[in-house]
């Protein structure tokens, strides 16, 4: 640098060049490390759509959803099976058609919490939907479910087995709801992108 005659217009580009060289040299070890990373090979991305009914049964001797925790004032609204702060554990039955006697296609295990404070029933669901038709493969929902909306959309955030790396969405419609005991049958249309 000492032997180079510089002026103010030249200094900026030459400093920039030096910086670029320094940055490239400092990146060298990282580039080497990156080339050692094991790369999984996935096939082509696939699209699968699923249609089924979920039976969420709170009543009776053999419920598929049970209250496991609730907020301080959860019992202050008699007749409301899911007041704000209620947490339910589920092993809901999934069937082909709306009737409970219809062919069972899988189960939805997980949790939902009553998350709406304004009196309109809203749940946040974290559930794994497993299907026997797909050898126990599943997709996973973690999403808000504004139950009073006629067609609501839930986010699919992952999956297992055939639905590995799944992402997508589920459109829900309430087929049946008993507002007294909370029993519900929900129609699901699910669109999945997966490998
Ligand atoms: C419970 O309800 C009472 C009376 O409405 C209220 O003062 C209190 O803040 C509530 N507590 C919780 C944890 O929501
Ligand atoms: C499920 O597994 C069986 C036995 O491994 C196989 O024959 C069948 O094709 C699989 N079905 C699906 C949908 O992956
Ligand atoms: C699901 O898709 C079927 C076929 O397109 C349609 O008839 C039904 O109304 C849809 N249901 C929901 C909840 O989106």
């Amino acid at each position: 640098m000492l032997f180079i005659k510089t002026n103010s217009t030249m200094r900026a580009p030459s400093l920039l060049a030096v910086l670029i060289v320094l940055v490239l040299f400092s990146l060298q070890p990282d580039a080497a490390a990156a080339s050692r990373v094991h790369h999984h090979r996935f096939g082509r991305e696939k699209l699968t759509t699923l249609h089924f009914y979920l039976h969420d049964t709170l009543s009776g001797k053999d419920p598929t959803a049970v209250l496991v925790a609730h907020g301080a004032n959860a019992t202050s609204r008699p007749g409301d099976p899911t007041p704000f702060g209620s947490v339910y554990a589920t092993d809901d039955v999934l069937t082909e058609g709306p009737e409970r006697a219809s062919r069972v296609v899988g189960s939805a295990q997980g949790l939902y919490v009553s998350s709406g404070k304004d009196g309109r029933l809203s749940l946040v669901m974290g559930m794994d939907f497993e299907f026997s038709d797909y050898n126990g493969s599943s997709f996973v929902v973690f999403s808000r479910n504004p139950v009073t909306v006629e067609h609501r959309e839930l986010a699919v955030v992952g999956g297992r087995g055939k639905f590995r790396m799944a992402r997508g969405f589920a459109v829900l419609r309430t087929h049946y709801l008993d507002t007294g005991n909370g029993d519900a049958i929900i129609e699901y249309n699910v669109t999945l992108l997966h490998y």
Side-chain angles (χ1 to χ4, degrees), residues 9-20:
T9 55
M10 276 190 70
R11 189 170 289 134
S14 54
L15 273 177
L16 187 63
V18 169
L19 276 176
I20 287 170

Side-chain angles (χ1 to χ4, degrees), residues 133-135 162:
D133 286 358
Y134 292 97
N135 282 352
K162 188 182 190 312

Side-chain angles (χ1 to χ4, degrees), residues 84-101:
F84 176 63
S86 312
V87 180
Y88 281 80
T90 74
D91 188 356
D92 287 342
V93 179
L94 308 177
T95 58
E96 205 167 66
E99 301 81 26
R100 180 59 188 83

Side-chain angles (χ1 to χ4, degrees), residues 114-131:
S114 179
S115 50
K117 286 184 68 167
D118 60 5
R120 283 157 68 90
L121 179 57
S122 178
L123 308 174
V124 168
M125 297 168 44
M127 284 162 80
D128 181 301
F129 291 69
E130 187 182 271
F131 295 88

Side-chain angles (χ1 to χ4, degrees), residues 54-69 81-82 86-93 108-113 123 125 127 181-184:
L54 172 144
H55 300 255
D56 190 52
T57 310
L58 279 60
S59 70
K61 287 201 178 75
D62 190 22
T64 64
V66 295
L67 185 69
V68 293
T82 46
S86 312
V87 180
Y88 281 80
T90 74
D91 188 356
D92 287 342
V93 179
Q109 296 188 1
L111 292 169
Y112 59 77
V113 55
L123 308 174
M125 297 168 44
M127 284 162 80
N181 62 22
D183 288 357

Side-chain angles (χ1 to χ4, degrees), residues 35-186:
S35 71
R36 286 195 300 271
V37 170
H38 178 72
H39 291 284
H40 284 282
R41 292 263 176 262
F42 291 109
R44 278 170 62 95
E45 195 169 46
K46 299 175 196 77
L47 179 93
T48 297
T49 58
L50 300 166
H51 179 250
F52 56 88
Y53 291 82
L54 172 144
H55 300 255
D56 190 52
T57 310
L58 279 60
S59 70
K61 287 201 178 75
D62 190 22
T64 64
V66 295
L67 185 69
V68 293
H70 61 78
N73 282 351
T75 53
S76 63
R77 276 193 283 166
D80 181 357
T82 46
F84 176 63
S86 312
V87 180
Y88 281 80
T90 74
D91 188 356
D92 287 342
V93 179
L94 308 177
T95 58
E96 205 167 66
E99 301 81 26
R100 180 59 188 83
S102 172
R103 190 172 74 91
V104 173
V105 296
S107 66
Q109 296 188 1
L111 292 169
Y112 59 77
V113 55
S114 179
S115 50
K117 286 184 68 167
D118 60 5
R120 283 157 68 90
L121 179 57
S122 178
L123 308 174
V124 168
M125 297 168 44
M127 284 162 80
D128 181 301
F129 291 69
E130 187 182 271
F131 295 88
S132 38
D133 286 358
Y134 292 97
N135 282 352
S137 300
S138 79
F139 68 82
V140 175
V141 159
F142 196 101
S143 194
R144 185 188 296 216
N145 176 1
V147 176
T148 57
V149 176
E150 191 184 354
H151 285 90
R152 59 258 186 207
E153 181 178 314
L154 271 54
V156 173
V157 298
R160 298 185 282 112
K162 188 182 190 312
F163 303 136
R164 193 177 274 179
M165 309 278 283
R167 63 199 193 288
F169 60 95
V171 178
L172 277 62
R173 188 186 62 85
T174 302
H175 176 77
Y176 166 84
L177 174 66
D178 183 325
T179 51
N181 62 22
D183 288 357
I185 302 170
I186 313 294

